[in-house]
Amino acid sequence: MSDRDSEFADFVDAYAASLRRTAFLLCGDWHRAEDFVQVTLLKVHKSWPRLSGTPLGYARQVLTNTVIDESRRFWRRERPTYP
């Protein structure tokens, strides 16, 4: 395992639970929160070489943007039902 991968694995071990709690606060569902964290970790992993210092702030911003983007999707919007 390369240094980059081991650093990312340490980051995931340290902050995955915190990101999951934050995602739950944003969406209100534990299962969707887990999905959002997985998507967030994929995006953070892509940009890992460019990040410096503690990337927790970046990960939280990516998580917030991911939740907002998902809520804007057409099939997630509530539609009125008529009797």
Side-chain angles (χ1 to χ4, degrees), residues 45-63:
H45 187 265
K46 281 185 185 177
S47 60
W48 189 256
R50 296 185 309 252
L51 300 178
S52 61
T54 305
L56 181 59
Y58 177 75
R60 286 184 177 156
Q61 185 64 49
V62 170
L63 176 63

Side-chain angles (χ1 to χ4, degrees), residues 11-68:
F11 171 77
V12 170
D13 290 340
Y15 297 111
S18 174
L19 289 171
R20 185 172 176 249
R21 287 189 300 269
T22 303
F24 175 76
L25 291 174
L26 292 170
C27 72
D29 180 17
W30 285 111
H31 298 289
R32 287 181 60 210
E34 290 175 0
D35 293 340
F36 289 139
V37 169
Q38 289 298 315
V39 172
T40 298
L41 291 175
L42 285 172
K43 291 178 180 180
V44 170
H45 187 265
K46 281 185 185 177
S47 60
W48 189 256
R50 296 185 309 252
L51 300 178
S52 61
T54 305
L56 181 59
Y58 177 75
R60 286 184 177 156
Q61 185 64 49
V62 170
L63 176 63
T64 303
N65 291 341
T66 301
V67 172
I68 290 170

